[in-house]
Amino acid sequence: MNRKIRVIVVDDSALVRSLLAEIINRQHDMECIGTANDPLVAREMIREKNPDVITLDIEMPKMDGIDFLGRIMRLRPMPVLMISTLTERGAEVTMRALELGAVDFVSKPRVGVANGLTQLSNEIVEKIRIAATAHVHRMVKPAAAAAAAAAAPAGTDAAGAPAAAKPPVSSATLLGRVSTEKLIAIGASTGGTEAIKEVLTQMPADAPAIVITQHMPPGFTTSFAARLNSLCQITVKEATHGERILPGHAYIAPGGKQFAISRSGANYVAVVDEQAPPVNRHKPSVEVLFKSVAQFAGRNAFGVMLTGMGADGAVAMREMKDAGSYNYVQDEASCIVFGMPREAIAHGAADEVLPLTQIAHALLGKLRASPDVRHRI
């Protein structure tokens, strides 16, 4: 019999601690080995019990969850699942938690907590299972800086000043003569927010248009896009239905909606559909985006599959390859979770399997070497 996943629950609400412990203990493959009402108690419990996963609230007494998470990832990296309330502030702080190294998050309801957490029980235990398999990395950012950044209002830096302007554009980094028909399509899930940031921050201002599906619920993709936009030379935004998809821009699939591309004359346009059903249990789904890229971009496309659990997008990425795209897949060593990349490789969809830090460089090198790639792949 396999050893059970050992979980510690950290939350200042006695009700939430009790509910989460009950949900965890009902599972055949996991057990709650302790609960803590604040990070200081949790710290000693983690030392004593050595859990496989911890669930962590954000707003707590004595030390907030973001500060505690920063310390964990510097001193004793381990899989952490954040339990965050879905508010505008909650979304901002959740993005910072993922940046600090949290594996994933669950949106805790603001009202009707008992009923809400019960309804979320399947999502909670599935994400705990995923977290238990995740490859976490030591966080080197100083905890004080992380805490200051977490406390800063949206649009400001850690000191409370207006956030820095977008990075200056250097002519040395520009691509130059690349066909406006070129398109980059990225799919990701667990661990993907930081992986996407790694790729996009290396993109020059004149990069081909980029379309992205990251598994994320409603309410969080706006904050995710804004955070990326502040860090990148390209413009990053949530996709809106019917807009032209332009070079120098990246478009994020809105949470809770399917995102695809289509053509209108010579232009790519965004198709955003709130009524479309989930595909592979996901909405947005990488499969939906990649299928449309195979159909409408064909050999003008580049595919990128990043870290994530499951198989969403693997079949459609092979369709992209069959249509002439050139595809990059993140390697196992650099993935938080290797599921989606593994499935893409198994389906024969990968042209190159690379560490995360090399994907953007390889893609840009191919574009620079072959401005009209569609005639040379």
Side-chain angles (χ1 to χ4, degrees):
M1 181 176 177
N2 292 332
R3 186 174 73 87
K4 290 185 176 183
I5 300 167
R6 304 166 76 250
V7 186
I8 287 178
V9 172
V10 187
D11 198 293
D12 66 338
S13 164
L15 174 61
V16 171
R17 293 196 303 275
S18 174
L19 288 168
L20 289 175
E22 181 181 343
I23 288 168
I24 290 164
N25 286 330
R26 283 202 304 262
Q27 310 307 309
H28 72 279
D29 59 343
M30 63 182 67
E31 61 179 331
C32 178
I33 60 171
T35 65
N37 64 347
D38 70 61
L40 300 184
V41 174
R43 182 174 59 192
E44 296 306 313
M45 193 173 290
I46 290 167
R47 286 174 179 165
E48 293 174 9
K49 296 180 179 287
N50 193 29
D52 300 306
V53 178
I54 70 170
T55 71
L56 180 61
D57 191 14
I58 288 177
E59 296 179 354
M60 290 182 294
K62 299 183 181 177
M63 182 190 301
D64 69 48
I66 294 294
D67 189 14
F68 186 50
L69 175 66
R71 297 185 185 204
I72 290 173
M73 299 314 291
R74 281 190 304 114
L75 303 174
R76 191 196 182 287
M78 63 181 304
V80 177
L81 176 65
M82 303 302 296
I83 307 290
S84 60
T85 304
L86 178 54
T87 63
E88 182 177 352
R89 171 66 176 162
E92 289 280 339
V93 177
T94 298
M95 290 300 103
R96 294 189 180 108
L98 296 173
E99 189 174 63
L100 284 170
V103 174
D104 209 337
F105 66 94
V106 174
S107 302
K108 183 169 61 178
R110 281 181 288 177
V111 295
V113 173
N115 185 53
L117 283 178
T118 300
Q119 292 178 353
L120 290 168
S121 59
N122 288 338
E123 178 184 354
I124 291 167
V125 296
E126 180 181 8
K127 289 188 174 182
I128 288 173
R129 290 187 184 104
I130 293 170
T133 69
H135 302 290
V136 296
H137 307 288
R138 187 175 299 276
M139 181 68 198
V140 296
K141 184 177 181 179
T156 66
D157 62 18
K166 293 169 76 69
V169 176
S170 166
S171 60
T173 66
L174 296 177
L175 283 171
R177 301 183 304 276
V178 175
S179 168
T180 57
E181 288 193 280
K182 297 293 172 283
L183 185 77
I184 300 167
I186 300 175
S189 185
T190 312
T193 56
E194 288 304 290
I196 289 168
K197 183 176 80 173
E198 171 69 27
V199 174
L200 293 195
T201 52
Q202 297 184 60
M203 290 293 151
D206 63 346
I210 303 172
V211 289
I212 301 166
T213 290
Q214 158 73 42
H215 294 161
M216 193 171 281
F220 288 89
T221 42
T222 301
S223 178
F224 179 42
R227 177 169 286 264
L228 289 173
N229 186 59
S230 71
L231 298 171
C232 297
Q233 291 188 23
I234 59 174
T235 298
V236 185
K237 66 185 297 292
E238 269 190 316
T240 58
H241 182 70
E243 70 178 322
R244 284 182 59 194
I245 293 174
L246 301 170
H249 290 65
Y251 302 84
I252 308 284
K257 301 177 183 180
Q258 295 294 13
F259 173 42
I261 67 162
S262 186
R263 293 292 292 251
S264 176
N267 300 313
Y268 298 118
V269 294
V271 178
V272 178
D273 188 350
E274 189 171 5
Q275 304 305 316
V279 173
N280 297 331
R281 300 188 301 127
H282 295 292
K283 186 177 177 180
S285 164
V286 180
E287 193 79 9
V288 171
L289 177 61
F290 281 11
K291 275 183 175 290
S292 69
V293 171
Q295 179 180 355
F296 293 107
R299 62 178 57 249
N300 284 308
F302 293 86
V304 179
M305 186 70 86
L306 301 176
T307 174
M309 175 60 74
D312 186 35
V315 172
M317 193 179 209
R318 178 55 195 254
E319 292 179 14
M320 285 176 58
K321 182 175 171 63
D322 291 344
S325 74
Y326 194 89
N327 296 337
Y328 298 89
V329 173
Q330 186 177 351
D331 73 352
E332 183 172 8
S334 65
C335 280
I336 299 297
V337 179
F338 190 50
M340 286 163 56
R342 178 192 288 115
E343 291 298 320
I345 294 166
H347 280 78
D351 289 290
E352 295 187 47
V353 179
L354 295 172
L356 174 61
T357 54
Q358 295 181 22
I359 289 175
H361 178 76
L363 197 164
L364 293 172
K366 195 165 189 67
L367 281 166
R368 287 193 176 98
S370 306
D372 196 10
V373 178
R374 62 190 173 122
H375 294 314
R376 303 189 187 185
I377 290 178

